Every structure is written in C-alpha cells, then in structure tokens.
Amino acid sequence: MLFDRKADQILFQQVFAFVMLLLAAFVESGLGLVPSFYGSAPKISFCLLFLTALYRPLAVPLYPVMLVGLIYDTVQGSPFGYTSSLYLIILGVVEWRRQFLIIADPSVIWSEFVIMLSGLMVYIFLVFFIFHGAWPPFAEILFQIGFTALLFPIFNWMIAFGRQVGIYLGGDQ
C-alpha cells in the first residue's frame, strides 16, 4: 500500500500540536490553583500557539484550536468561545506577520509577541467588563501578561533547540 509521507507528517504534527495545546491549557488551569498564581497563571498556551503557528503553520488548523479553546472555557467557567477567540486572534496575527517574523531575530519575534499580548490585554479587559459588568483586577492581568512575556523566550529557545537537534539527526526543518 502506497502512502504519502508528507501527509502523514502533517497529520502527526496536527495531532501533536493539539495534544500539546490541550496539555498547556490544563497546566494553566492547574497553575491557577497554586496560591502564588491564583487568578493570574501565565498563558503558556499563548506561547505555544504563537510559536507553532509561526514555525509549523499546517500543524494548527482552526477547528482543533477552537476545540481546545472551548474545552478550556468549559473547565474554567469562562464565557463560551472566549478562549477560542483569543486563540483565533493569535493565529490571525501570526498569519498576518509570518513573512516578516520567519526571518526575524528572536528579539524581534519576542517584541511582536509582547505587542500582540498588549492588544490581547485590551481585549481581555473589554470581554471581562462586558461579561461581569466590572473592570477586572488590573494588577493580576498585568502580572499574567508580564509573566507570559517573560516565559516566551524560553519556549522560543526550546523550539529552536528542538529544530536544530532535528536537523542534526537528519530530519527536515
């Protein structure tokens, strides 16, 4: 039986990205229960989704990403579709800026991520205000976004290291 190796690799990447994004969402939920992160756990899934969409765009199709967002909303008790909309904004920004970011320095990629996080913070404030009728706690959201921005270079380094190991072992980029 003849099979297409490229299609199998893409399917494997999609399943792997879905599982890793779902795992990151559950880790975020678990971190939210730790007293030092209560209510302001870093958004690990934002980092993973941004980098996966940048380096492996075929690995993050819309429907699985939306499904992870809906599962996260169900677990967290957030408005249904809230996290999915955040994930779709991230995918849209990465798709829009990919031609520039794919050849950019890691520091430029980080700064673009921070700018996107700032826009997402405004969106988070608006959705929270509409849903709850009050402004969210500014310090907690600022801590969450700041800690996420500080974690991003670590994830970027890990993915770059993994890509180099893959090239060294004879895989594709």
Side-chain angles (χ1 to χ4, degrees):
M1 180 175 202
L2 188 63
F3 61 91
D4 186 13
R5 183 168 188 231
K6 184 79 168 165
D8 287 345
Q9 287 178 343
I10 291 172
L11 180 62
F12 174 75
Q13 290 173 4
Q14 289 175 346
V15 170
F16 187 73
F18 175 78
V19 170
M20 294 310 319
L21 194 59
L22 191 62
L23 181 66
F26 286 133
V27 167
E28 286 174 17
S29 293
L31 280 176
L33 300 175
V34 175
S36 58
F37 290 121
Y38 185 72
S40 59
K43 293 295 200 176
I44 298 168
S45 60
F46 287 5
C47 300
L48 289 177
L49 184 60
F50 186 90
L51 291 169
T52 305
L54 179 62
Y55 295 121
R56 298 282 187 201
L58 295 176
V60 284
L62 291 178
Y63 294 126
V65 170
M66 288 175 29
L67 180 63
V68 169
L70 293 174
I71 292 169
Y72 186 77
D73 289 339
T74 304
V75 169
Q76 287 294 311
S78 300
F80 209 56
Y82 165 69
T83 307
S84 296
S85 66
L86 290 170
Y87 289 166
L88 292 178
I89 290 170
I90 293 170
L91 288 177
V93 168
V94 172
E95 182 64 31
W96 173 50
R97 299 291 293 167
R98 177 176 292 112
Q99 294 299 326
F100 172 72
L101 290 175
I102 203 72
I103 59 171
D105 268 349
S107 62
V108 173
I109 294 171
W110 180 74
S111 64
E112 291 272 337
F113 181 75
V114 170
I115 291 169
M116 182 200 64
L117 274 179
S118 301
L120 286 177
M121 189 169 129
V122 171
Y123 179 76
I124 289 168
F125 270 98
L126 290 174
V127 170
F128 191 93
F129 180 75
I130 291 169
F131 188 68
H132 293 289
W135 290 109
F138 183 74
E140 283 83 3
I141 291 181
L142 191 60
F143 174 78
Q144 180 181 42
I145 298 300
F147 200 58
T148 302
L150 291 176
L151 284 177
F152 181 80
I154 296 169
F155 284 102
N156 195 10
W157 177 82
M158 288 173 24
I159 288 178
F161 180 73
R163 292 176 75 202
Q164 292 299 322
V165 168
I167 291 170
Y168 178 75
L169 294 176
D172 64 345
Q173 293 185 5

